[in-house]
């Protein structure tokens, strides 16, 4: 187990050493950007090819080295290509130091090819990142860079304001960075030279020399500008001394922009001094360096930028066209959706209304049918009430008639006259026939039975026939004769009928039946 941990520890150590060695190599290459750009390119490119996608910071460092080295070689197309690749590794709001440096390098590439307006936003972006990182030194550098952009766009007042802001920021540094102070003072001197304010130009440039760190390219530019001041004010001895100092330093740097400025001013001085051979020699140097700086690669960069811009315009036009198509399709979908929704709502409304109308019609028909039935029921009830009254009246009349006949029969039976009895017997026979013919009609009997069944569902047909007979005023003896049974059997039937009709004691069966 200990052996495994030892192996893992060794692998981590190797990876750590490897990572440190890569960073050391990249830092070493960064130092060679200006002095030996070819070595810087060789080292950085070899490291870049070994890096994986996870090593984003190392890749960005290698790409920045390549961009800077090609910038010093005036290979602007390659410099811009690597700068753009490095920029792709960072999010827009990333505050990493390498993101800041790549933004600045891209600005300097555009600056060197003379596209100062295009350089400005990159220097501004680098300044914004420096401010977010609270990097005061970088903030001064990029404020100075923005001043140079304005200076070369002939915006002298804006340039002077930016250089003064850089001086104010320098006053907050502790300790003071004199090299940076010298750079800003030199640039302010250049502004005054453009204004032809020779006194202020001389003062700023002399302060720049006093604070200079001795960097050759910076001093050559300052000496050249002082030479121009003294040449313009006809102080030729001072002009020659500073130009000679610049000549000694010209062999220590390859920074073309400092040298080309020196060659131009030196040519003007030698020509005025009458040293035509020397003047033509510096003129030749100026032309050769100018051709080197303004080589075909600068034109390639411009062509590349134009092609990129054209491609971007085409992409933007395509995006706009697609956006319009999407907007149109969205509107069509919205309209179709609205129409579909309206159609669905209308269909549902019609279906609901149809069902509602059918339900209402059905309800109306049911109401009419119910009303009709109620009317029929009312008519039937009225008719039954009328017939009940008629039956009751008829029953009463029959009862009275029967009582009268019964009384006369008793008187006849008491009489001793045979003729009278014979006559009465004949009369009673005819009377019985008449009684049978004057009985309630079949229709009345059916209606009476219906009423009985409705009020007393437990009644049998035999019970209802007994009720009808009693209503006809037949006595128990007459019923016994009619059905050929004993009177006692009739009485028992009457008793059971009382039970079914739930008659209380004291209520006569016949009286109750007559009231039904």
């Amino acid at each position: 187990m200990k052996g495994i941990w030892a192996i893992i520890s060794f692998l981590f150590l190797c990876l750590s050493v490897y990572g440190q060695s890569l960073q050391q190599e990249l830092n070493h290459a960064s130092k060679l950007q200006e002095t030996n750009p070819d070595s810087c390119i060789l080292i950085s490119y070899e490291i870049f090819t070994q890096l994986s996608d996870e090593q984003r910071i190392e890749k960005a460092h290698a790409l920045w080295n390549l961009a800077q080295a090609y910038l010093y070689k005036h290979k602007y197309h390659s410099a811009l290509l690597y700068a753009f690749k490095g920029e792709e590794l960072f999010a827009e709001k990333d505050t990493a130091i390498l993101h800041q440096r790549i933004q600045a390098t891209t600005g300097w590439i555009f600056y060197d090819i003379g596209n100062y307006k295009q350089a400005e936003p990159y220097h501004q972006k680098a300044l914004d990142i420096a401010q977010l990182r609270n990097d005061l030194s970088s903030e001064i550098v990029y404020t100075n860079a923005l001043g140079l952009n304005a200076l070369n766009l002939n915006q002298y007042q804006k340039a002077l304001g930016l250089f003064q802001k850089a001086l104010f920021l320098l006053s907050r540094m502790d300790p003071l960075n004199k090299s940076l102070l010298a750079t800003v003072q030199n640039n302010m001197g250049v502004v005054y030279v453009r204004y032809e304010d020779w006194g202020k130009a001389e003062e700023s440039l002399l302060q720049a020399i006093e604070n200079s760190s001795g960097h050759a390219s910076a001093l050559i530019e300052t000496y050249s500008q002082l030479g121009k001041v003294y040449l313009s004010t006809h102080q030729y001895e001072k002009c020659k001394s500073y130009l000679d100092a610049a000549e000694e330093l010209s062999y220590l740097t390859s920074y073309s922009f400092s040298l080309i400025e020196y060659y131009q001013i030196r040519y003007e001085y030698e020509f005025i001094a009458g040293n035509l051979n020397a003047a033509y020699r510096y003129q030749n140097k100026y032309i050769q360096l100018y051709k080197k700086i303004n080589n075909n690669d600068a034109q390639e960069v411009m062509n590349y930028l134009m092609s990129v811009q054209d491609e971007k315009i085409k992409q933007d036009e395509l995006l706009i066209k697609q956006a319009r198509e999407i907007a149109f399709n969205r509107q069509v979908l919205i309209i179709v959706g609205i129409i579909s929704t309206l159609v669905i709502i209308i269909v549902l409304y019609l279906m609901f209304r149809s069902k509602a109308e059918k339900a209402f019609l059905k309800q109306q028909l049911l109401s009419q049918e119910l009303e009709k039935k109620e009317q029929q029921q009312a008519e039937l009830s009225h008719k039954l009430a009328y017939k009940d009254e008629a039956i009751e009246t008829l029953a009463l009349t029959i009862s009275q008639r029967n009582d009268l006949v019964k009384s006369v029969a008793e008187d006849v039976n008491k009489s001793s006259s045979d003729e009278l009895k014979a006559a009465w017997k004949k009369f009673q026979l005819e009377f019985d026939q008449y009684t049978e013919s004057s009985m309630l009609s079949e229709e009345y009997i059916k209606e009476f039975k219906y009423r009985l069944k409705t009020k007393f569902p437990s009644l049998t047909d035999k019970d209802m026939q007994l009720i009808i007979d009693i209503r006809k005023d037949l006595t128990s003896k007459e019923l016994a004769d009619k059905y050929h049974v004993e009177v006692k059997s009739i009485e028992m039937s009457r008793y059971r009928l009382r039970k079914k009709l739930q008659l209380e004691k004291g209520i006569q069966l016949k009286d109750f039946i007559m009231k039904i």
Side-chain angles (χ1 to χ4, degrees):
M1 190 69 182
K2 291 181 179 180
I4 295 172
W5 280 110
I7 292 170
I8 293 172
S9 301
F10 177 74
L11 289 173
F12 273 115
L13 180 62
C14 290
L15 288 172
S16 177
V17 171
Y18 174 70
Q20 290 178 0
S21 63
L22 278 180
Q23 194 59 52
Q24 289 172 356
E25 287 294 318
L26 287 169
N27 290 335
H28 175 64
S30 297
K31 294 176 182 178
L32 300 175
Q33 289 174 357
E34 181 181 0
T35 58
N36 194 347
D38 290 326
S39 296
C40 176
I41 291 168
L42 183 64
I43 295 169
S44 299
Y45 188 77
E46 185 176 354
I47 293 173
F48 180 77
T49 56
Q50 298 174 13
L51 296 173
S52 64
D53 292 338
E54 287 74 22
Q55 295 171 291
R56 183 174 63 89
I57 299 301
E58 290 79 2
K59 289 183 79 171
H61 196 162
L63 290 168
W64 176 62
N65 282 343
L66 289 166
Q68 280 286 106
Y70 277 112
L71 173 61
Y72 283 113
K73 285 174 65 68
H74 308 295
K75 300 294 183 181
Y76 303 119
H77 185 276
S78 299
L80 197 61
L81 177 66
Y82 288 116
F84 282 165
K85 282 184 175 295
E87 189 178 351
E88 290 173 359
L89 295 174
F90 297 96
E92 185 179 356
K93 296 183 179 180
D94 199 321
T95 57
I97 182 66
L98 282 169
H99 187 208
Q100 172 186 300
R101 289 173 178 173
I102 289 170
Q103 291 288 338
T105 298
T106 308
W108 288 122
I109 294 168
F110 283 113
Y111 180 89
D112 280 6
I113 63 177
N115 194 342
Y116 309 113
K117 199 169 185 64
Q118 190 69 25
E120 188 174 6
Y122 288 99
H123 285 148
Q124 183 63 55
K125 181 65 177 178
L127 174 61
D128 293 341
I129 296 172
Q131 289 173 337
L132 290 171
R133 295 179 61 254
N134 294 319
D135 186 350
L136 183 59
S137 178
S138 296
E139 187 177 350
I140 295 167
V141 169
Y142 302 130
T143 301
N144 178 69
L146 287 169
L148 289 173
N149 293 330
L151 175 63
N152 286 281
L153 288 169
N154 299 322
Q155 299 172 355
Y156 302 135
Q157 196 62 40
K158 179 180 178 180
L160 193 59
L162 288 165
F163 293 141
Q164 287 172 345
K165 181 181 178 181
L167 286 177
F168 170 75
L169 293 172
L170 276 161
S171 67
R172 293 166 52 191
M173 291 191 72
D174 186 23
L176 178 64
N177 187 331
K178 285 192 173 183
S179 176
L180 197 52
L181 175 62
T183 301
V184 177
Q185 289 171 335
N186 174 80
N187 293 334
M188 288 187 70
V190 175
V191 175
Y192 291 128
V193 168
R194 298 286 179 90
Y195 274 133
E196 296 185 358
D197 188 341
W198 308 117
K200 287 185 178 180
E202 181 183 18
E203 181 183 358
S204 295
L205 293 169
L206 288 173
Q207 288 175 347
I209 293 172
E210 183 180 349
N211 292 310
S212 175
S213 62
H215 195 272
S217 59
L219 275 174
I220 288 173
E221 185 176 359
T222 305
Y223 289 157
S224 300
Q225 290 297 325
L226 267 174
K228 187 170 185 177
V229 169
Y230 294 134
L231 183 63
S232 299
T233 55
H234 310 294
Q235 300 179 58
Y236 300 120
E237 289 297 326
K238 287 185 177 181
C239 176
K240 184 177 186 304
S241 65
Y242 280 109
L243 292 178
D244 287 345
E247 176 70 20
E248 292 177 6
L249 293 173
S250 65
Y251 301 104
L252 302 177
T253 183
S254 60
Y255 187 60
S256 304
F257 288 95
S258 296
L259 292 172
I260 197 169
E261 196 165 5
Y262 163 65
Y263 292 151
Q264 183 180 14
I265 295 170
R266 188 69 190 240
Y267 160 75
E268 292 175 2
Y269 167 76
E270 296 295 348
F271 187 82
I272 291 172
N275 301 323
L276 298 181
N277 289 331
Y280 292 140
R281 186 172 69 253
Y282 284 108
Q283 184 185 43
N284 188 46
K285 287 183 178 183
Y286 173 83
I287 292 170
Q288 287 179 355
L289 191 55
Y290 180 84
K291 288 180 179 180
K292 179 183 177 182
I293 294 173
N294 296 279
N295 57 18
N296 292 331
D297 196 54
Q299 186 61 42
E300 287 179 11
V301 172
M302 296 307 294
N303 292 337
Y304 170 73
L305 291 175
M306 290 298 292
S307 64
V308 169
Q309 188 174 7
D310 290 341
E311 185 65 27
K312 190 175 184 306
I313 290 170
K314 289 178 182 178
Q315 290 177 355
D316 291 343
E317 289 176 348
L318 181 61
L319 288 173
I320 291 169
K321 184 179 178 181
Q322 290 175 347
R324 286 175 178 172
E325 288 177 355
I326 291 169
F328 176 75
N329 292 334
R330 187 184 293 114
Q331 290 177 354
V332 170
L333 286 174
I334 291 171
I335 293 170
V336 170
I338 292 171
I339 293 172
S340 301
T341 304
L342 289 173
V343 169
I344 291 170
I345 291 171
I346 291 169
V347 169
L348 290 175
Y349 169 73
L350 292 174
M351 289 173 64
F352 175 76
R353 191 177 71 173
S354 176
K355 288 182 178 180
E357 287 177 351
K358 287 179 180 178
F360 177 74
L361 183 60
K362 186 176 180 180
Q363 185 68 27
Q364 196 173 24
L365 290 172
L366 288 172
S367 298
Q368 290 176 357
E369 188 176 350
L370 182 61
E371 187 178 349
K372 186 177 178 180
K373 285 184 177 180
E374 288 177 352
Q375 188 176 0
Q376 290 175 351
Q377 187 71 23
E379 290 176 356
L380 183 59
S381 298
H382 180 70
K383 190 183 291 185
L384 288 173
Y386 173 75
K387 290 180 179 179
D388 285 345
E389 187 178 354
I391 290 169
E392 188 175 348
T393 304
L394 181 58
L396 182 59
T397 303
I398 292 169
S399 178
Q400 290 174 351
R401 184 194 63 190
N402 288 341
D403 289 342
L404 179 61
V405 170
K406 191 175 183 180
S407 177
V408 173
E410 287 176 357
D411 291 339
V412 170
N413 288 332
K414 289 177 182 180
S415 175
S416 58
S417 175
D418 292 333
E419 293 179 0
L420 181 59
K421 290 180 179 179
W424 175 252
K425 190 175 183 179
K426 184 179 179 181
F427 167 76
Q428 193 166 9
L429 181 61
E430 291 179 359
F431 178 76
D432 290 339
Q433 291 177 353
Y434 171 77
T435 300
E436 289 180 4
S437 64
S438 61
M439 282 294 176
L440 295 174
S441 66
E442 191 69 26
E443 184 180 354
Y444 282 180
I445 292 172
K446 285 182 179 179
E447 291 175 352
F448 185 66
K449 283 183 177 181
Y450 172 75
R451 193 160 59 252
L452 282 173
K453 195 69 175 176
T454 303
K455 290 184 178 181
F456 306 102
S458 62
L459 293 177
T460 64
D461 292 340
K462 189 176 180 181
D463 293 331
M464 287 191 287
Q465 185 61 49
L466 179 58
I467 291 171
I468 292 170
D469 289 338
I470 293 171
R471 188 154 186 163
K472 288 179 180 181
D473 201 25
L474 297 176
T475 64
S476 295
K477 185 178 182 307
E478 289 172 340
L479 290 170
D481 292 340
K482 181 179 178 181
Y483 295 109
H484 307 288
V485 294
E486 295 181 358
V487 175
K488 190 176 182 180
S489 179
I490 296 298
E491 292 298 333
M492 184 58 68
S493 296
R494 290 170 69 97
Y495 174 76
R496 285 196 294 268
L497 182 59
R498 285 180 64 86
K499 288 286 186 181
K500 289 184 178 181
L501 297 175
Q502 298 178 356
L503 295 181
E504 296 179 0
K505 290 182 179 181
I507 298 176
Q508 295 296 323
L509 179 59
K510 181 179 177 182
D511 293 339
F512 180 81
I513 290 171
M514 295 302 292
K515 293 179 180 179
I516 295 176

